[in-house]
Amino acid sequence: MKSVISLAAVLAAGLVLTSGAIAQDKPKLAFVVNAASDFWKLAEAGVKKAQGELPDYELEFKYPAQGTAALQNALMDDLVAAGTDAIMISSADPKNSIDAFNRIAAQVPLFTTDSDAPDSDRIAYLGSSNTLAGVQAGEEMVKAMDGEEGKCMGFVGFLGADNAIERIAGFRQAIEGSNIELVDVRGDDVDFTRARTNVDDVLVANPEINCMVGFYSYNPPKIYEALQAAGKLGSITVVGFDEDPVTLGAVREGSFASTVVQQPFEWGYQGMKLMASYLEDADSVDLPDDGLIIVPTKVIDQSNVDEFEADLKAKING
């Protein structure tokens, strides 16, 4: 009897060990973001949906300790060392991360999202056209100002990031020839306290400013806070980016004209599926010649904000 029990125990232990090995052998895919922000919850929900459709893969969603290129790049090194098989990243500073990106790309397939690094060895970019999104924001500002002369101030996180540069350029393109001027853009390096202070300072030092645009997801909420504290909600025309609840609430109540939203849920979902397909058979993946897989942006205003927010909640709640 003891022999039978021992044999059963050995077989059971072997089954456990084998199952563990199988679990460990699953290819790992990682989605690395540029900073801790509510904006990324939708991308995380997209990754979660993809996990349900990719049971043979282990999907990870990673936030850096801080929104710096150095910590992001160190995180990618750690992921590769831990056996990650492919990475998609929204870089905080792609222009100054080329060497780091190329080092990673020499070891595992590397894709970008949100902010591209086209001069690196990344395989492809999946995300918004930041230039077209900026154009949409500029067009919304022209429409909202309705012929009134505009002196606008912009607010953004990383002034040197491609997504910021391209959005600002698109905005300037759209307002060209109108009587609206983008006077300046203030950066905050994804420091939320500084983001609020930037708006407060403009309200005091630049009384001529009568329109504002927030280019990163947390900028419009900080604009809202500052305008509310100064008693200027509704007296300054605001166009935002992304779908922070404060931003959507401001659009609903008419304090903001509109917001240009991206589809980070699709970045997470499509990004994981893309990397899995690439690992399985890279030659079968049909990538655009320019390496840009564009997920369209859209404008949210009072006419569609309720429908849009209901859809967001459904995606986040799975």
Side-chain angles (χ1 to χ4, degrees):
M1 184 68 175
K2 286 182 180 180
S3 297
V4 172
I5 293 173
S6 298
L7 178 60
V10 169
L11 290 173
L15 181 61
V16 170
L17 290 172
T18 302
S19 299
I22 292 172
Q24 289 177 355
D25 287 340
K26 287 184 178 182
K28 296 179 182 179
L29 311 177
F31 193 110
V32 179
V33 304
N34 56 11
S37 168
D38 286 346
F39 171 78
W40 289 112
K41 288 180 179 178
L42 276 166
E44 192 166 5
V47 170
K48 182 179 178 182
K49 179 183 177 183
Q51 179 68 86
E53 299 178 14
L54 297 169
D56 295 330
Y57 289 81
E58 181 181 338
L59 309 188
E60 298 180 288
F61 195 89
K62 293 291 188 178
Y63 292 89
Q66 291 180 309
T68 67
L71 289 175
Q72 273 193 314
N73 297 336
L75 175 56
M76 286 199 295
D77 284 331
D78 290 344
L79 287 168
V80 171
T84 299
D85 295 279
I87 296 173
M88 177 166 281
I89 183 170
S90 169
S91 178
D93 187 3
K95 286 192 182 335
N96 293 311
S97 300
I98 300 300
D99 289 344
F101 277 30
N102 290 347
R103 182 178 69 249
I104 297 299
Q107 301 172 79
V108 300
L110 179 67
F111 296 80
T112 55
T113 187
D114 186 41
S115 187
D116 195 13
D119 295 330
S120 74
D121 294 334
R122 62 92 170 117
I123 291 164
Y125 166 83
L126 187 150
S128 305
S129 166
N130 287 294
T131 301
L132 293 179
V135 168
Q136 283 181 305
E139 291 172 345
E140 285 298 299
M141 186 63 76
V142 171
K143 183 170 71 173
M145 294 302 289
D146 195 23
E148 180 184 352
E149 182 180 359
K151 297 282 188 183
C152 290
M153 185 66 71
F155 302 94
V156 76
F158 300 112
L159 282 166
D162 280 0
N163 59 355
I165 292 169
E166 291 167 7
R167 290 176 197 181
I168 294 165
F171 186 89
R172 291 189 188 278
Q173 177 185 328
I175 64 174
E176 187 176 353
S178 73
N179 55 355
I180 298 172
E181 175 190 1
L182 183 60
V183 176
D184 196 9
V185 181
R186 304 290 168 83
D188 54 57
D189 295 325
V190 194
D191 179 328
F192 295 168
T193 300
R194 186 174 159 198
R196 166 63 190 274
T197 301
N198 281 348
V199 186
D200 290 333
D201 290 347
V202 166
L203 291 174
V204 173
N206 302 89
E208 75 280 6
I209 295 298
N210 62 350
C211 50
M212 294 181 172
V213 54
F215 287 105
Y216 273 16
S217 62
Y218 60 86
N219 291 125
K222 295 306 177 184
I223 292 171
Y224 186 90
E225 289 175 11
L227 294 181
Q228 186 178 51
K232 293 187 176 181
L233 277 176
S235 64
I236 292 180
T237 302
V238 180
V239 171
F241 267 78
D242 299 319
E243 62 284 313
D244 187 277
V246 173
T247 303
L248 295 179
V251 170
R252 180 179 293 106
E253 71 186 28
S255 297
F256 286 7
S258 56
T259 185
V260 176
V261 300
Q262 305 177 88
Q263 298 193 64
F265 180 91
E266 295 298 331
W267 304 350
Y269 175 70
Q270 293 184 32
M272 295 296 106
K273 303 273 280 190
L274 172 64
M275 288 196 289
S277 296
Y278 192 88
L279 286 178
E280 289 168 12
D281 185 1
D283 292 336
S284 70
V285 178
D286 187 18
L287 296 173
D289 291 339
D290 61 5
L292 303 177
I293 304 169
I294 301 302
V295 181
T297 54
K298 55 185 176 181
V299 173
I300 303 302
D301 57 23
Q302 279 187 310
S303 71
N304 60 359
V305 64
D306 290 333
E307 178 185 0
F308 175 74
E309 192 160 34
D311 180 61
L312 280 187
K313 289 177 180 177
K315 285 177 175 174
I316 291 175
N317 293 332

